[in-house]
Short mmCIF file of all heavy atoms in Angstrom, two decimals:
data_model
loop_
_atom_site.label_atom_id
_atom_site.label_comp_id
_atom_site.label_asym_id
_atom_site.label_seq_id
_atom_site.Cartn_x
_atom_site.Cartn_y
_atom_site.Cartn_z
N SER B 26 5.64 15.27 21.18
CA SER B 26 7.02 15.38 21.66
C SER B 26 7.83 14.15 21.24
O SER B 26 9.01 14.25 20.89
CB SER B 26 7.04 15.54 23.18
OG SER B 26 6.36 14.46 23.77
N ASP B 27 7.15 13.00 21.26
CA ASP B 27 7.78 11.77 20.82
C ASP B 27 8.24 11.90 19.37
O ASP B 27 9.37 11.57 19.00
CB ASP B 27 6.76 10.63 20.99
CG ASP B 27 7.31 9.30 20.53
OD1 ASP B 27 8.51 9.08 20.75
OD2 ASP B 27 6.54 8.51 19.97
N LEU B 28 7.32 12.42 18.55
CA LEU B 28 7.61 12.63 17.13
C LEU B 28 8.77 13.60 16.95
O LEU B 28 9.69 13.36 16.19
CB LEU B 28 6.38 13.22 16.44
CG LEU B 28 5.42 12.26 15.79
CD1 LEU B 28 4.22 13.02 15.27
CD2 LEU B 28 6.11 11.57 14.63
N GLN B 29 8.69 14.70 17.70
CA GLN B 29 9.70 15.74 17.56
C GLN B 29 11.10 15.20 17.86
O GLN B 29 12.05 15.53 17.16
CB GLN B 29 9.39 16.91 18.49
CG GLN B 29 9.01 18.15 17.72
CD GLN B 29 8.03 19.02 18.48
OE1 GLN B 29 7.64 18.71 19.60
NE2 GLN B 29 7.63 20.12 17.88
N SER B 30 11.20 14.35 18.88
CA SER B 30 12.52 13.83 19.22
C SER B 30 13.04 12.93 18.11
O SER B 30 14.21 12.96 17.77
CB SER B 30 12.47 13.08 20.55
OG SER B 30 11.63 11.96 20.44
N LYS B 31 12.13 12.14 17.51
CA LYS B 31 12.55 11.28 16.41
C LYS B 31 13.04 12.11 15.22
O LYS B 31 14.00 11.75 14.55
CB LYS B 31 11.39 10.39 15.95
CG LYS B 31 11.21 9.17 16.81
CD LYS B 31 10.12 8.29 16.24
CE LYS B 31 9.89 7.10 17.14
NZ LYS B 31 8.55 6.51 16.95
N ILE B 32 12.34 13.20 14.97
CA ILE B 32 12.70 14.02 13.82
C ILE B 32 14.00 14.78 14.06
O ILE B 32 14.87 14.81 13.20
CB ILE B 32 11.56 15.00 13.46
CG1 ILE B 32 10.35 14.20 12.95
CG2 ILE B 32 11.99 15.99 12.40
CD1 ILE B 32 9.09 14.99 12.86
N SER B 33 14.13 15.36 15.25
CA SER B 33 15.33 16.19 15.48
C SER B 33 16.60 15.35 15.47
O SER B 33 17.66 15.81 15.09
CB SER B 33 15.20 16.97 16.79
OG SER B 33 15.03 16.07 17.85
N LEU B 34 16.47 14.08 15.85
CA LEU B 34 17.62 13.18 15.78
C LEU B 34 18.17 13.13 14.36
O LEU B 34 19.37 13.14 14.14
CB LEU B 34 17.19 11.77 16.17
CG LEU B 34 17.43 11.33 17.59
CD1 LEU B 34 16.93 9.91 17.78
CD2 LEU B 34 18.91 11.42 17.92
N ARG B 35 17.24 13.07 13.43
CA ARG B 35 17.67 12.97 12.04
C ARG B 35 18.14 14.30 11.47
O ARG B 35 19.03 14.36 10.65
CB ARG B 35 16.54 12.41 11.19
CG ARG B 35 16.23 10.95 11.47
CD ARG B 35 15.55 10.34 10.30
NE ARG B 35 14.55 11.25 9.74
CZ ARG B 35 14.49 11.56 8.48
NH1 ARG B 35 15.34 11.06 7.64
NH2 ARG B 35 13.56 12.39 8.04
N GLU B 36 17.50 15.35 11.93
CA GLU B 36 17.78 16.65 11.32
C GLU B 36 19.22 17.10 11.48
O GLU B 36 19.73 17.85 10.68
CB GLU B 36 16.83 17.72 11.86
CG GLU B 36 15.67 17.94 10.90
CD GLU B 36 14.58 18.82 11.46
OE1 GLU B 36 14.81 19.40 12.53
OE2 GLU B 36 13.54 18.91 10.82
N LYS B 37 19.85 16.60 12.53
CA LYS B 37 21.24 16.99 12.77
C LYS B 37 22.13 16.66 11.57
O LYS B 37 23.07 17.36 11.27
CB LYS B 37 21.77 16.31 14.03
CG LYS B 37 21.32 17.04 15.27
CD LYS B 37 21.73 16.31 16.52
CE LYS B 37 20.97 16.87 17.70
NZ LYS B 37 20.64 15.85 18.68
N SER B 38 21.80 15.54 10.93
CA SER B 38 22.64 15.12 9.81
C SER B 38 22.18 15.72 8.48
O SER B 38 22.73 15.45 7.44
CB SER B 38 22.62 13.60 9.70
OG SER B 38 21.31 13.20 9.36
N GLU B 39 21.15 16.52 8.58
CA GLU B 39 20.55 16.97 7.33
C GLU B 39 21.20 18.22 6.73
O GLU B 39 21.45 19.18 7.42
CB GLU B 39 19.07 17.29 7.56
CG GLU B 39 18.18 16.22 7.00
CD GLU B 39 16.75 16.45 7.39
OE1 GLU B 39 16.30 17.60 7.27
OE2 GLU B 39 16.10 15.49 7.84
N ASN B 40 21.44 18.18 5.46
CA ASN B 40 21.67 19.42 4.74
C ASN B 40 20.99 19.29 3.40
O ASN B 40 21.16 18.29 2.70
CB ASN B 40 23.16 19.74 4.66
CG ASN B 40 23.90 18.80 3.74
OD1 ASN B 40 23.95 19.03 2.54
ND2 ASN B 40 24.43 17.72 4.27
N PRO B 41 20.19 20.26 3.04
CA PRO B 41 19.29 20.11 1.89
C PRO B 41 20.02 19.79 0.59
O PRO B 41 19.54 19.00 -0.21
CB PRO B 41 18.60 21.48 1.79
CG PRO B 41 19.08 22.30 2.93
CD PRO B 41 20.05 21.54 3.73
N GLU B 42 21.23 20.34 0.38
CA GLU B 42 21.93 20.08 -0.87
C GLU B 42 22.44 18.64 -0.94
O GLU B 42 22.62 18.09 -2.02
CB GLU B 42 23.11 21.03 -1.04
CG GLU B 42 22.81 22.19 -1.97
CD GLU B 42 22.68 23.48 -1.19
OE1 GLU B 42 23.73 24.05 -0.86
OE2 GLU B 42 21.54 23.90 -0.91
N GLY B 43 22.68 18.05 0.21
CA GLY B 43 23.23 16.71 0.22
C GLY B 43 22.19 15.62 0.11
O GLY B 43 22.50 14.44 0.20
N LYS B 44 20.94 16.02 -0.07
CA LYS B 44 19.87 15.02 -0.10
C LYS B 44 19.73 14.37 -1.47
O LYS B 44 19.89 15.02 -2.50
CB LYS B 44 18.54 15.67 0.26
CG LYS B 44 18.28 15.69 1.73
CD LYS B 44 16.84 16.11 1.98
CE LYS B 44 16.60 16.32 3.45
NZ LYS B 44 15.98 15.21 4.11
N VAL B 45 19.38 13.09 -1.44
CA VAL B 45 19.05 12.40 -2.67
C VAL B 45 17.56 12.63 -2.92
O VAL B 45 16.76 12.56 -1.99
CB VAL B 45 19.30 10.88 -2.49
CG1 VAL B 45 18.95 10.13 -3.76
CG2 VAL B 45 20.73 10.62 -2.08
N VAL B 46 17.20 12.96 -4.15
CA VAL B 46 15.78 13.13 -4.45
C VAL B 46 15.31 11.98 -5.35
O VAL B 46 15.85 11.76 -6.42
CB VAL B 46 15.50 14.49 -5.13
CG1 VAL B 46 14.02 14.64 -5.42
CG2 VAL B 46 15.99 15.63 -4.25
N ILE B 47 14.33 11.25 -4.85
CA ILE B 47 13.80 10.11 -5.60
C ILE B 47 12.36 10.43 -5.98
O ILE B 47 11.55 10.75 -5.11
CB ILE B 47 13.81 8.83 -4.75
CG1 ILE B 47 15.23 8.54 -4.23
CG2 ILE B 47 13.26 7.65 -5.53
CD1 ILE B 47 15.30 7.40 -3.24
N ARG B 48 12.07 10.39 -7.26
CA ARG B 48 10.70 10.69 -7.68
C ARG B 48 10.11 9.49 -8.42
O ARG B 48 10.71 8.98 -9.37
CB ARG B 48 10.68 11.92 -8.58
CG ARG B 48 11.31 13.14 -7.87
CD ARG B 48 10.93 14.43 -8.50
NE ARG B 48 11.31 14.50 -9.89
CZ ARG B 48 10.74 15.33 -10.76
NH1 ARG B 48 9.76 16.12 -10.38
NH2 ARG B 48 11.15 15.36 -12.00
N VAL B 49 8.95 9.09 -7.98
CA VAL B 49 8.30 7.93 -8.59
C VAL B 49 7.19 8.41 -9.51
O VAL B 49 6.36 9.23 -9.10
CB VAL B 49 7.73 7.00 -7.50
CG1 VAL B 49 7.11 5.76 -8.12
CG2 VAL B 49 8.81 6.60 -6.50
N GLY B 50 7.19 7.94 -10.74
CA GLY B 50 6.17 8.34 -11.72
C GLY B 50 4.80 7.80 -11.33
O GLY B 50 4.63 6.60 -11.21
N MET B 51 3.85 8.72 -11.13
CA MET B 51 2.56 8.30 -10.59
C MET B 51 1.44 8.66 -11.57
O MET B 51 0.42 9.21 -11.20
CB MET B 51 2.39 8.97 -9.23
CG MET B 51 1.54 8.27 -8.19
SD MET B 51 1.94 6.57 -7.82
CE MET B 51 3.34 6.79 -6.73
N GLY B 52 1.65 8.36 -12.84
CA GLY B 52 0.57 8.53 -13.80
C GLY B 52 -0.29 7.28 -13.82
O GLY B 52 -0.02 6.33 -13.07
N THR B 53 -1.30 7.26 -14.68
CA THR B 53 -2.19 6.11 -14.74
C THR B 53 -1.41 4.81 -14.96
O THR B 53 -1.60 3.82 -14.25
CB THR B 53 -3.21 6.29 -15.88
OG1 THR B 53 -3.87 7.53 -15.70
CG2 THR B 53 -4.22 5.17 -15.91
N SER B 54 -0.49 4.84 -15.93
CA SER B 54 0.23 3.61 -16.25
C SER B 54 1.16 3.21 -15.11
O SER B 54 1.35 2.04 -14.83
CB SER B 54 1.02 3.78 -17.55
OG SER B 54 1.74 5.00 -17.52
N GLY B 55 1.74 4.20 -14.45
CA GLY B 55 2.60 3.91 -13.30
C GLY B 55 1.82 3.25 -12.18
O GLY B 55 2.22 2.21 -11.63
N ILE B 56 0.68 3.84 -11.85
CA ILE B 56 -0.14 3.32 -10.75
C ILE B 56 -0.60 1.90 -11.07
O ILE B 56 -0.51 0.99 -10.24
CB ILE B 56 -1.36 4.23 -10.51
CG1 ILE B 56 -0.91 5.62 -10.03
CG2 ILE B 56 -2.29 3.62 -9.46
CD1 ILE B 56 -2.01 6.67 -10.04
N ALA B 57 -1.03 1.70 -12.33
CA ALA B 57 -1.52 0.38 -12.72
C ALA B 57 -0.41 -0.66 -12.67
O ALA B 57 -0.66 -1.85 -12.52
CB ALA B 57 -2.15 0.44 -14.11
N SER B 58 0.85 -0.23 -12.81
CA SER B 58 1.96 -1.19 -12.78
C SER B 58 2.57 -1.36 -11.40
O SER B 58 3.60 -2.01 -11.25
CB SER B 58 3.07 -0.79 -13.75
OG SER B 58 2.59 -0.10 -14.83
N GLY B 59 2.00 -0.71 -10.40
CA GLY B 59 2.48 -0.95 -9.04
C GLY B 59 3.39 0.13 -8.48
O GLY B 59 4.15 -0.10 -7.56
N ALA B 60 3.29 1.36 -9.03
CA ALA B 60 4.16 2.44 -8.56
C ALA B 60 3.95 2.77 -7.08
O ALA B 60 4.88 3.18 -6.39
CB ALA B 60 3.94 3.70 -9.40
N LYS B 61 2.72 2.57 -6.60
CA LYS B 61 2.45 2.90 -5.20
C LYS B 61 3.29 2.02 -4.27
O LYS B 61 3.91 2.51 -3.33
CB LYS B 61 0.96 2.73 -4.90
CG LYS B 61 0.62 2.95 -3.45
CD LYS B 61 -0.87 2.86 -3.21
CE LYS B 61 -1.19 2.81 -1.74
NZ LYS B 61 -0.87 1.50 -1.14
N GLU B 62 3.32 0.71 -4.56
CA GLU B 62 4.10 -0.21 -3.72
C GLU B 62 5.58 0.15 -3.78
O GLU B 62 6.27 0.09 -2.77
CB GLU B 62 3.92 -1.66 -4.18
CG GLU B 62 2.68 -2.36 -3.64
CD GLU B 62 1.42 -1.91 -4.38
OE1 GLU B 62 1.55 -1.43 -5.52
OE2 GLU B 62 0.33 -2.03 -3.81
N ILE B 63 6.04 0.50 -4.98
CA ILE B 63 7.46 0.83 -5.12
C ILE B 63 7.79 2.09 -4.33
O ILE B 63 8.80 2.17 -3.64
CB ILE B 63 7.82 1.02 -6.63
CG1 ILE B 63 7.65 -0.30 -7.38
CG2 ILE B 63 9.23 1.55 -6.80
CD1 ILE B 63 8.44 -1.47 -6.81
N MET B 64 6.89 3.07 -4.37
CA MET B 64 7.15 4.30 -3.64
C MET B 64 7.16 4.03 -2.14
O MET B 64 8.02 4.53 -1.41
CB MET B 64 6.10 5.36 -3.99
CG MET B 64 6.35 6.66 -3.27
SD MET B 64 5.48 8.02 -4.03
CE MET B 64 5.55 9.22 -2.69
N GLU B 65 6.23 3.20 -1.66
CA GLU B 65 6.21 2.88 -0.24
C GLU B 65 7.47 2.12 0.17
O GLU B 65 8.04 2.38 1.22
CB GLU B 65 4.95 2.07 0.11
CG GLU B 65 3.77 3.00 0.30
CD GLU B 65 2.44 2.31 0.42
OE1 GLU B 65 2.35 1.10 0.10
OE2 GLU B 65 1.48 2.98 0.81
N PHE B 66 7.88 1.21 -0.70
CA PHE B 66 9.11 0.46 -0.44
C PHE B 66 10.30 1.41 -0.32
O PHE B 66 11.08 1.33 0.63
CB PHE B 66 9.34 -0.55 -1.58
CG PHE B 66 10.59 -1.36 -1.46
CD1 PHE B 66 10.61 -2.51 -0.69
CD2 PHE B 66 11.76 -0.97 -2.11
CE1 PHE B 66 11.78 -3.27 -0.59
CE2 PHE B 66 12.92 -1.72 -2.01
CZ PHE B 66 12.93 -2.87 -1.24
N LEU B 67 10.40 2.35 -1.27
CA LEU B 67 11.53 3.29 -1.25
C LEU B 67 11.49 4.18 -0.01
O LEU B 67 12.52 4.47 0.60
CB LEU B 67 11.54 4.14 -2.53
CG LEU B 67 11.97 3.42 -3.80
CD1 LEU B 67 11.60 4.21 -5.05
CD2 LEU B 67 13.48 3.15 -3.78
N MET B 68 10.29 4.61 0.38
CA MET B 68 10.18 5.46 1.56
C MET B 68 10.64 4.71 2.81
O MET B 68 11.40 5.22 3.61
CB MET B 68 8.73 5.93 1.76
CG MET B 68 8.31 7.02 0.79
SD MET B 68 6.79 7.87 1.26
CE MET B 68 5.57 6.63 1.03
N GLU B 69 10.14 3.48 2.94
CA GLU B 69 10.48 2.70 4.13
C GLU B 69 11.96 2.34 4.17
O GLU B 69 12.62 2.48 5.20
CB GLU B 69 9.68 1.40 4.16
CG GLU B 69 8.41 1.53 4.97
CD GLU B 69 7.44 0.41 4.65
OE1 GLU B 69 7.87 -0.75 4.57
OE2 GLU B 69 6.24 0.72 4.47
N GLU B 70 12.47 1.88 3.04
CA GLU B 70 13.84 1.38 3.03
C GLU B 70 14.87 2.50 3.16
O GLU B 70 15.90 2.31 3.81
CB GLU B 70 14.10 0.54 1.77
CG GLU B 70 13.29 -0.74 1.74
CD GLU B 70 13.50 -1.62 2.98
OE1 GLU B 70 14.66 -1.81 3.38
OE2 GLU B 70 12.50 -2.11 3.54
N THR B 71 14.63 3.66 2.55
CA THR B 71 15.61 4.74 2.70
C THR B 71 15.65 5.18 4.16
O THR B 71 16.70 5.49 4.70
CB THR B 71 15.30 5.96 1.80
OG1 THR B 71 13.94 6.34 1.97
CG2 THR B 71 15.57 5.67 0.35
N GLU B 72 14.48 5.16 4.79
CA GLU B 72 14.41 5.52 6.21
C GLU B 72 15.17 4.50 7.06
O GLU B 72 16.04 4.84 7.86
CB GLU B 72 12.93 5.57 6.62
CG GLU B 72 12.66 5.93 8.06
CD GLU B 72 12.85 7.41 8.34
OE1 GLU B 72 12.88 8.20 7.38
OE2 GLU B 72 12.98 7.75 9.53
N LYS B 73 14.88 3.20 6.82
CA LYS B 73 15.52 2.14 7.59
C LYS B 73 17.03 2.12 7.41
O LYS B 73 17.78 1.83 8.31
CB LYS B 73 14.98 0.77 7.13
CG LYS B 73 13.75 0.31 7.87
CD LYS B 73 13.46 -1.14 7.50
CE LYS B 73 11.97 -1.41 7.57
NZ LYS B 73 11.57 -2.52 6.69
N ARG B 74 17.46 2.36 6.17
CA ARG B 74 18.89 2.23 5.88
C ARG B 74 19.63 3.55 6.03
O ARG B 74 20.76 3.70 5.56
CB ARG B 74 19.08 1.70 4.46
CG ARG B 74 18.39 0.37 4.26
CD ARG B 74 18.56 -0.13 2.84
NE ARG B 74 17.56 -1.17 2.56
CZ ARG B 74 17.49 -1.83 1.42
NH1 ARG B 74 18.35 -1.58 0.46
NH2 ARG B 74 16.55 -2.74 1.23
N ASN B 75 18.94 4.54 6.62
CA ASN B 75 19.57 5.82 6.89
C ASN B 75 20.11 6.53 5.67
O ASN B 75 21.19 7.12 5.71
CB ASN B 75 20.72 5.62 7.87
CG ASN B 75 20.24 5.92 9.27
OD1 ASN B 75 19.49 6.88 9.45
ND2 ASN B 75 20.65 5.11 10.22
N VAL B 76 19.36 6.45 4.57
CA VAL B 76 19.76 7.20 3.39
C VAL B 76 19.02 8.53 3.45
O VAL B 76 17.80 8.56 3.62
CB VAL B 76 19.36 6.45 2.09
CG1 VAL B 76 19.66 7.28 0.86
CG2 VAL B 76 20.06 5.11 2.03
N ASP B 77 19.76 9.61 3.36
CA ASP B 77 19.14 10.92 3.48
C ASP B 77 18.46 11.28 2.16
O ASP B 77 19.07 11.88 1.28
CB ASP B 77 20.22 11.94 3.83
CG ASP B 77 19.63 13.16 4.50
OD1 ASP B 77 18.41 13.15 4.74
OD2 ASP B 77 20.38 14.09 4.79
N ALA B 78 17.20 10.86 2.03
CA ALA B 78 16.54 11.03 0.74
C ALA B 78 15.14 11.60 0.90
O ALA B 78 14.49 11.40 1.92
CB ALA B 78 16.45 9.69 0.03
N ILE B 79 14.73 12.33 -0.12
CA ILE B 79 13.34 12.76 -0.20
C ILE B 79 12.68 11.85 -1.24
O ILE B 79 13.14 11.78 -2.38
CB ILE B 79 13.23 14.22 -0.68
CG1 ILE B 79 14.00 15.14 0.28
CG2 ILE B 79 11.79 14.65 -0.81
CD1 ILE B 79 14.13 16.56 -0.25
N VAL B 80 11.65 11.14 -0.83
CA VAL B 80 10.94 10.30 -1.79
C VAL B 80 9.61 10.98 -2.09
O VAL B 80 8.83 11.26 -1.19
CB VAL B 80 10.68 8.89 -1.23
CG1 VAL B 80 9.99 8.02 -2.27
CG2 VAL B 80 11.97 8.25 -0.77
N THR B 81 9.40 11.27 -3.36
CA THR B 81 8.17 11.97 -3.69
C THR B 81 7.60 11.42 -4.99
O THR B 81 8.17 10.53 -5.61
CB THR B 81 8.44 13.50 -3.76
OG1 THR B 81 7.22 14.19 -3.99
CG2 THR B 81 9.42 13.85 -4.85
N GLN B 82 6.44 11.92 -5.38
CA GLN B 82 5.84 11.43 -6.60
C GLN B 82 5.89 12.51 -7.66
O GLN B 82 6.01 13.68 -7.37
CB GLN B 82 4.40 11.03 -6.35
CG GLN B 82 3.56 12.18 -5.82
CD GLN B 82 2.09 11.86 -5.82
OE1 GLN B 82 1.66 10.90 -5.21
NE2 GLN B 82 1.32 12.68 -6.51
N THR B 83 5.82 12.06 -8.89
CA THR B 83 5.76 13.03 -9.97
C THR B 83 4.71 12.53 -10.95
O THR B 83 4.25 11.40 -10.84
CB THR B 83 7.14 13.19 -10.63
OG1 THR B 83 7.01 14.06 -11.74
CG2 THR B 83 7.71 11.88 -11.10
#
Side-chain angles (χ1 to χ4, degrees):
Chain B
S26 56
D27 179 36
L28 267 175
Q29 248 149 1
S30 63
K31 278 184 183 158
I32 293 167
S33 59
L34 263 180
R35 291 202 318 129
E36 261 171 10
K37 280 175 194 145
S38 65
E39 256 172 46
N40 71 86
E42 260 108 80
K44 272 191 188 261
V45 179
V46 180
I47 304 173
R48 303 199 301 158
V49 183
M51 208 53 79
T53 306
S54 47
I56 296 168
S58 330
K61 176 176 169 286
E62 277 77 22
I63 295 305
M64 181 162 163
E65 278 170 347
F66 178 84
L67 287 165
M68 285 195 291
E69 266 163 45
E70 294 304 315
T71 50
E72 180 76 16
K73 271 190 210 154
R74 302 179 198 183
N75 264 319
V76 175
D77 203 3
I79 301 170
V80 183
T81 184
Q82 58 169 58
T83 176

